[in-house]
Amino acid sequence: MDSKKNEKLVFRMIMIISAVVFATVVVLNRKVLPRPDDAPAWAYNLPALNALINGTCTLLLLLSFYYIKKRNIVMHKRINIITFCMSSLFLVSYIMYHYLCDETHYPKDNPVRPYYLAILFSHIVLAALVMPMVLLSFYYGLYNKVEKHRKLVRFTFPIWLYVTITGVVIYLMISPFYQH
């Protein structure tokens, strides 16, 4: 298969994966799927784990940026592989939590709620947008398509960084209102 056809196939696969993940999250938030009556006790620890993973990814992204600025490609790639794996683990944990547990809502009478909702909305929109960008950036990086990788990462990196940081901020803002 020639390079152009291969890239088109990879692009299509990335879009399908991104759409399936997005649809899964939407379905979970709409509570369409049957859920267990009682969530296992460990499931209530997943939001804290997710915040820890997001915080770790923030640090790893910054470390990756540091290494690429120092032109240490090997460390840059290794750290990005770890970050990608951590983000994948986050996604699995996030989906499990939203399947197993009831959603916590920010109190309507809380004066901080508009700020929370603004951060949450930007986080959700950008997380959905950045997923295919991360996958494509990762593909370009792994297969040494350096120019394409550089062009895309100029946008991917700050968005992904914002999403990981706001993931922690959202957790810190909502965690006092968990009922478990």
Side-chain angles (χ1 to χ4, degrees):
M1 186 180 295
D2 74 337
S3 181
K4 290 250 188 231
K5 283 186 181 179
N6 191 37
E7 271 193 41
K8 282 184 181 181
L9 177 62
V10 167
F11 183 79
R12 285 185 188 130
M13 288 174 50
I14 286 170
M15 288 304 159
I16 290 169
I17 291 167
S18 299
V20 167
V21 168
F22 181 76
T24 300
V25 170
V26 168
V27 165
L28 288 172
N29 284 331
R30 299 270 184 237
K31 297 175 180 63
V32 176
L33 298 175
R35 294 173 45 207
D37 292 333
D38 294 315
W42 56 264
Y44 296 108
N45 295 316
L46 293 176
L49 174 65
N50 292 343
L52 179 65
I53 292 170
N54 266 324
T56 302
C57 286
T58 297
L59 297 175
L60 289 170
L61 287 168
L62 292 171
L63 195 56
S64 170
F65 184 72
Y66 168 80
Y67 279 116
I68 201 60
K69 288 298 177 189
K70 294 288 184 185
R71 301 194 190 282
N72 188 338
I73 311 281
V74 172
M75 283 304 292
H76 173 74
K77 276 188 176 185
R78 286 179 182 164
I79 291 168
N80 281 338
I81 290 169
I82 293 167
T83 309
F84 181 83
C85 291
M86 294 289 293
S87 287
S88 300
L89 177 64
F90 165 84
L91 188 57
V92 170
S93 176
Y94 176 88
I95 288 171
M96 284 175 45
Y97 176 75
H98 285 278
Y99 172 69
L100 295 170
C101 302
D102 289 330
E103 187 174 351
T104 300
H105 297 279
Y106 210 86
K108 290 183 179 176
D109 60 344
N110 190 304
V112 178
R113 188 171 193 259
Y115 302 105
Y116 169 79
L117 291 176
I119 295 167
L120 180 63
F121 179 75
S122 67
H123 173 83
I124 290 169
V125 169
L126 291 173
L129 287 174
V130 83
M131 184 176 182
M133 295 169 71
V134 167
L135 293 172
L136 199 54
S137 297
F138 198 69
Y139 167 76
Y140 289 149
L142 281 179
Y143 289 94
N144 292 318
K145 297 174 183 277
V146 177
E147 272 313 302
K148 289 183 178 188
H149 178 75
R150 278 186 189 150
K151 283 181 183 178
L152 185 56
V153 168
R154 284 189 181 122
F155 301 99
T156 306
F157 172 74
I159 297 170
W160 195 7
L161 187 62
Y162 176 84
V163 168
T164 62
I165 291 169
T166 56
V168 175
V169 170
I170 290 163
Y171 169 76
L172 292 173
M173 291 179 81
I174 194 78
S175 63
F177 305 106
Y178 285 132
Q179 297 297 314
H180 31 77

